[in-house]
């Protein structure tokens, strides 16, 4: 049996999960090859170039509670590059914009009656406490929130907010997800952003992996994966075949199923998990919006259901303000399949209508539309018991994918934590010590 010195490991997927796993294996002295299908590392955290500068396709920020990501940034020498800033939240309901941060904001929030506003405030304050000790994994979010907040607050606020993230099945998602999320996100919260962008994290990980003797290959889609009790074999789209003692797959489960060979497929997790994709437009604006980092957009006749004013966190970009608008949806939905130029046109008009006092058409310098098919797993009730473990029985394939993150929120932090755990389990089998956490 291979030990730490002789084992060869293949990591499939070069998003944060794959990069973090590869980096940790390299630090433990294991021989690793990372295989990434696209020409870029970073997965959902990738970027594009505009006029010589790079910008993230999808908005990302770091939270002070990112207990796994921050130590990784520290190891990479990047912790001090994270600029922290207090951020605030807004809310757009029926085309009207509201600040949504303080008790005073809530008292002036006219989409709810005064009694509803007070109920909203009191229940929200107590929500984490009210969830303690309850079997929230088997309780529908809708049932829990309707009971606590009442029908109107559910229908006017929560239903569109959850529907925007999870689609038609939103009411069925276990209440545990929401409860957990409350621990990560607050309306007024300090958020962070690395001064070199997420690109600087990706570059530093690649450099550290290569400096430690690991191999990183991009532009090499895995076309077939087979795994048995004595090792794994990978066939790339080019026809090249690689073998290893172990593999870690970070692919979304549907993507993994599509590349698993006939022998491996039956051993994969059987849980039928739907995924929400995302349609996301990035606006380059001459003027800023209202300074709210995040604003859900509800009942306002827009295709998007939220706006992230990125520049409220990380400042302007060559003098331009950056704002993202997003809609989470199934990859087979009509919107997802709509021509990006058409989305850019429609969403620009909708953004202008949402901020008519702040923006004119001349202020919109550029719009870029990006989509991703597998972003948020839509968790069924009882998922804590059903979620896949790292091991694929009878094989030397391990899983480190977003389907295992629950009940945590999918993020670079939770993916890093998962990869650390999966790698530590593998190192234990190889008889190696896990690298100390800094
Ligand atoms: C709009 C949006 C906003 C977000 N905001 C935040 C935020 O503020 N903070 C935060 O921490 N997180 C945020 N996230 C979540 C975060 O980006 C994800 O949870 C995280 O990137 C998942 O990482 P991953 O490595 O598991 O998956 P991915 O990033 O999806 O990586 C999977 C990789 O596998 C590759 N791949 C696919 N098929 C193959 C194949 N056949 N062969 C080889 N490689 C393959 C893909 O190209 C990809 O690079 C956001 C995500 C989105 C979409």
């Amino acid at each position: 049996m291979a030990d730490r010195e002789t084992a060869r490991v293949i990591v499939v997927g070069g998003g944060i999960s794959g990069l973090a796993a590869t980096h940790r294996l390299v630090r433990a002295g294991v021989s690793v090859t990372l295989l990434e299908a696209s020409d870029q590392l970073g997965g959902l955290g990738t970027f594009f170039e505009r006029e010589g500068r790079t910008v993230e396709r999808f908005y990302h920020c770091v939270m002070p509670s990112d207990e796994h990501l921050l130590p990784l940034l520290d190891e990479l020498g990047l912790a001090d590059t994270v600029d922290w800033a207090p951020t605030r939240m807004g809310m757009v309901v029926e085309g009207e914009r509201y600040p949504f941060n303080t008790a005073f904001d809530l008292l002036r929030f006219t989409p709810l009656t005064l009694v509803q506003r007070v109920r909203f405030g009191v229940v929200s304050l107590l929500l984490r406490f009210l969830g303690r000790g309850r079997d929230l994994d088997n309780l529908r979010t809708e049932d829990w929130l309707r009971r606590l907040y009442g029908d109107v607050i559910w229908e006017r606020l929560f239903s569109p907010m959850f529907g925007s993230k999870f689609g038609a099945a939103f009411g069925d998602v276990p209440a545990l997800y929401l409860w957990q999320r409350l621990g990560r996100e607050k309306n007024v919260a300090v958020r962070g952003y690395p001064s070199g962008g997420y690109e600087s994290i990706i570059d530093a990980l690649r450099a550290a992996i290569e400096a430690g003797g690991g191999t990183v290959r991009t532009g090499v889609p895995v076309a077939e994966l087979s795994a048995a009790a004595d090792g794994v074999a990978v066939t790339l789209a080019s026809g090249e075949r690689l073998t290893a003692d172990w593999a870690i797959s970070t692919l979304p489960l549907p993507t993994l199923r599509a590349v698993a060979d006939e022998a491996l497929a039956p051993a994969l997790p059987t849980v039928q998990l739907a995924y929400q994709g995302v349609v996301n437009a990035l606006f380059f604006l001459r003027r800023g919006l209202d300074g709210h980092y995040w604003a859900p957009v509800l009942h306002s006749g827009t295709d998007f259901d939220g706006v992230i004013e990125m520049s409220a966190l990380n400042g302007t970009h060559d003098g331009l303000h950056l704002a993202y608008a997003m809609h989470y949806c199934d990859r087979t939905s009509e919107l997802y399949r709509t021509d990006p130029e058409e989305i850019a046109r429609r969403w620009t008009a909708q953004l202008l209508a949402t901020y008519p006092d702040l923006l004119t058409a001349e202020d919109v310098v550029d719009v870029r539309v990006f989509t991703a098919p597998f972003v948020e797993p839509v968790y069924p009730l009882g998922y804590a018991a059903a979620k896949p473990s790292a091991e694929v029985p009878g094989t030397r394939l391990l899983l480190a994918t977003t389907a295992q993150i629950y009940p945590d929120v999918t993020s670079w932090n939770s993916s890093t934590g998962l990869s650390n755990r999966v790698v530590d389990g593998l190192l234990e089998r190889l008889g190696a010590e896990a690298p100390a956490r800094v």
Side-chain angles (χ1 to χ4, degrees), residues 11-19 35-46 57-63 66 69 165 184-185 191 198 220-224 236 250-252 255-256 259 277-280 293 308 310 324 326 328 372 374-376 400-402 405 409-415 418-419:
V11 175
V12 184
I16 184 61
S17 302
L19 284 164
L35 303 173
E36 164 57 39
S38 77
D39 291 335
Q40 263 191 343
L41 295 170
L44 294 172
T46 49
R57 288 165 207 255
F58 306 104
Y59 51 91
H60 277 77
C61 71
V62 184
M63 305 295 284
D66 282 354
L69 183 61
K165 190 95 182 190
R184 178 174 153 90
E185 290 168 26
R191 288 181 163 85
Y198 275 63
V220 287
V222 168
E224 190 176 77
L236 302 180
T250 68
L251 306 181
T255 313
L256 174 61
V259 298
V278 76
V279 177
N280 164 102
Y293 175 75
I308 297 277
M310 198 66 207
Y324 295 81
M326 86 303 276
Y328 287 82
F374 300 109
V375 178
E376 288 292 332
T401 172
T402 47
I405 300 286
V409 178
T410 51
S411 69
W412 275 40
N413 178 62
S414 46
S415 287
L418 173 67
S419 289

Side-chain angles (χ1 to χ4, degrees), residues 78-306:
L78 292 176
D80 291 343
T81 72
V82 179
D83 297 324
W84 298 98
T87 54
R88 299 164 70 77
M89 177 179 175
M91 186 84 87
V92 184
V93 185
E94 285 163 0
E96 289 291 320
R97 300 198 313 269
Y98 303 86
F100 205 74
N101 299 289
T102 60
F104 189 56
D105 291 341
L106 181 59
L107 282 175
R108 289 185 308 172
F109 185 68
T110 49
L112 300 179
T113 65
L114 192 57
V115 172
Q116 288 158 356
R117 289 173 227 168
V118 172
R119 183 171 183 177
F120 184 95
V122 172
V123 175
S124 299
L125 270 179
L126 295 176
L127 201 61
R128 266 197 82 75
F129 171 76
L130 291 170
R132 235 173 254 161
R134 298 207 53 182
D135 180 12
L136 296 181
D137 186 39
N138 283 297
L139 181 59
R140 295 174 70 242
T141 299
E142 178 173 356
D143 293 346
W144 196 44
L145 295 190
R146 261 192 202 276
R147 198 173 319 138
L148 291 175
Y149 285 95
D151 292 338
V152 176
I153 295 178
W154 167 260
E155 274 148 30
R156 277 186 81 63
L157 297 190
F158 288 120
S159 163
M161 282 170 78
F162 271 92
S164 71
K165 190 95 182 190
F166 290 111
F170 63 92
D172 298 335
V173 169
L176 185 59
Y177 172 84
L178 169 83
W179 189 76
Q180 195 77 3
R181 190 169 174 171
L182 293 173
R184 178 174 153 90
E185 290 168 26
K186 306 238 170 351
N187 297 11
V188 182
V190 168
R191 288 181 163 85
Y193 185 81
S195 57
Y198 275 63
E199 181 187 10
S200 64
I201 307 179
I202 297 163
D203 287 351
L205 277 164
R206 180 179 200 149
I209 291 167
E210 290 179 338
T215 303
V216 176
R217 294 181 63 183
T218 54
V220 287
V222 168
E224 190 176 77
L225 182 61
S226 54
D230 56 351
V232 289
V234 165
T235 309
L236 302 180
S238 61
E240 184 183 340
R241 196 176 142 84
L242 307 170
T243 58
D245 300 299
W246 290 87
I248 298 177
S249 168
T250 68
L251 306 181
L253 292 179
T255 313
L256 174 61
R257 288 192 188 110
V259 298
D261 76 355
E262 275 179 17
L264 172 61
L268 293 178
T270 52
V271 61
Q272 287 307 316
L273 196 57
Y275 283 77
Q276 285 282 85
V278 76
V279 177
N280 164 102
L282 168 55
F283 296 90
F284 293 81
L285 306 168
R286 274 193 232 285
R287 290 201 277 173
L289 304 180
D290 49 14
H292 294 134
Y293 175 75
W294 175 45
V297 181
L298 314 176
H299 311 292
S300 298
T302 54
D303 292 329
F304 52 81
D305 23 48

